[in-house]
């Protein structure tokens, strides 16, 4: 007898704990018997927007189910034929007291309620989840729209380097036709050849995306060239990173911009800053820079000889025939100097009718007179400019650089200038053309 009392007490305690759990669980729970609501927990009251459980008890369960969800619900509970059997989790829509629809996931269990078979339904509110999913879809749609409208190319590759997506700008920059099915190809199999800054082929394993995928390293402003299928060469600046650095399976994303025009403009500005506008030769700035580098070379192998060249009689051409003809003469002289010298020798114009040559390598001392004579002969050949047959000669000064030079570039130019002055015909010196030679610190350009 005592054992039965103990068992009854235990059962009551268990039932009390279950009721407490049901009352306080965040999921909504209701019980309906023969289609009539006989129990709702507080969460169900809140879910349906009722003031209390009394507002719901005794009503038909179908009053709170969206019409589209009623037939599937009835079909599911008809399948529950034994006590304890449960329906699979199913998404459906409930209707609140105020008429608003609530997306939920439900599980129905056939149970005994006050001695009669009834259906206990556990209801999980999906409102927050659906809102988050909708927000994610909106964000994805917004992101897709933004990426598709970017002027910058964007492509995504998987861990094996296969293309997962590419935006319209990426196709346009790389010269890939919209109809070309490139998704799924390895990024170095795209119809475009990658080259490095020097124009040499860039192997796929040296592309910054390969480095990012292998190491997770973020690469920024990496510059390389692409020879497109249409033959056009474009230069790109790209950034590469993992989409999700915390995931070992993360894809990589590369964004890239076409900098061809900017690169060409910069190279043009650099060229203009270091070359003479009239002749295209190196200007005084580049000459001094190259000479400074050569003087810093302890081995003395870069430049060993400096030639200072001045045209004799050029002032008379300018004074009598005008600067247009004088400019033509200077351009022809510049072309002759370049043809007479090696590609590795630097030919520059200091200004006016003064030119400078930096001879590279180790020319033999015995070869210098022959070289100078060849230059004199080349320069003295008649020049036809605007219908005028003109002849000019050149005075050439020579200064050689030792392996451990201590002179400044300006001092070297000064010494070569003086050597050129000594080479001038005596008549030109007597006429004052060689007077007041510039000091080693002042050289007109």
């Amino acid at each position: 007898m005592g054992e039965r009392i103990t068992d009854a007490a235990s059962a009551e305690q268990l039932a009390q704990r279950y009721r407490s759990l049901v009352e306080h669980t965040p999921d909504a729970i209701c019980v309906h018997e023969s289609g009539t609501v006989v129990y709702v927990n507080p969460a169900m009251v809140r879910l349906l927007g009722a003031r209390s459980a009394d507002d719901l008890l005794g009503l038909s369960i179908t009053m709170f189910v969206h019409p589209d969800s009623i037939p599937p619900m009835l079909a599911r509970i008809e399948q529950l034929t034994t006590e304890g059997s449960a329906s699979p989790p199913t998404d459906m829509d409930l209707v609140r007291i105020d008429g608003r629809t609530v997306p939920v996931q439900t599980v129905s269990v056939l149970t005994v309620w006050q001695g009669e078979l009834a259906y206990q339904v556990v209801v999980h509110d999906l409102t927050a989840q659906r809102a988050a999913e909708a927000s994610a879809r909106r964000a994805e749609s917004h992101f897709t729209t933004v990426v598709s409208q970017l002027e910058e190319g964007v492509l995504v590759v998987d861990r094996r380097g296969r293309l997962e997506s590419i935006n319209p700008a990426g196709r346009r920059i790389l010269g890939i036709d919209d109809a070309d099915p490139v998704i799924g190809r390895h990024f170095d199999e795209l119809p475009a050849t990658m080259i490095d800054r020097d124009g040499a082929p860039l192997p796929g394993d040296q592309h910054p995306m390969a480095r990012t995928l292998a190491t997770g390293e973020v690469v920024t402003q990496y510059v390389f060239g692409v020879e497109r299928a249409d033959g056009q060469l474009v230069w790109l600046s790209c950034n590469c990173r993992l989409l999700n650095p915390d995931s070992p399976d993360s894809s990589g994303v590369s964004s890239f911009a076409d900098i061809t025009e900017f690169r060409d403009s910069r190279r043009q500005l650099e060229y203009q800053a270091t070359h003479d506008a009239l002749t295209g030769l190196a200007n005084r700035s580049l000459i001094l820079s190259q000479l400074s580098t050569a003087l810093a070379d302890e081995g003395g192998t870069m430049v060993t000889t400096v030639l200072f060249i001045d045209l004799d009689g050029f002032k008379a051409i300018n004074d009598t025939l005008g600067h247009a003809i004088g400019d033509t003469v200077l351009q022809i002289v510049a072309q002759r100097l370049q043809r007479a010298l090696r590609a590795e020798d630097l030919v520059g114009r200091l200004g006016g009718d003064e030119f400078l040559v930096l001879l590279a390598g180790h020319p033999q001392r015995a070869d210098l007179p022959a070289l100078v004579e060849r230059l004199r002969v080349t320069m003295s050949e008649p020049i036809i400019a605007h219908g005028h047959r003109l002849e000019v000669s050149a005075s050439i000064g020579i200064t050689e650089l030792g392996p451990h030079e201590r002179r400044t570039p300006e001092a070297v130019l000064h010494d070569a200038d003086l050597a050129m002055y000594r080479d001038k015909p005596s008549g030109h010196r007597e006429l004052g053309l060689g007077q007041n030679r510039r000091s080693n610190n002042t050289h007109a350009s």
Side-chain angles (χ1 to χ4, degrees), residues 378-394:
T378 299
M379 305 273 276
S380 64
E381 293 176 359
I383 295 174
I384 306 300
H386 300 274
H388 297 275
R389 179 185 174 90
L390 307 170
E391 293 185 5
V392 296
S393 58

Side-chain angles (χ1 to χ4, degrees), residues 30-31 36-41 45 50 52-60 64 113:
C30 80
V31 178
T36 301
V37 177
V38 295
Y39 170 79
V40 289
N41 72 343
V45 173
S52 68
D54 292 338
D55 292 340
L56 305 174
L57 297 178
L59 300 178
S60 172
F64 307 104
W113 180 265

Side-chain angles (χ1 to χ4, degrees), residues 163 169 201 224 365:
L163 193 66
F224 66 100
R365 184 180 294 266

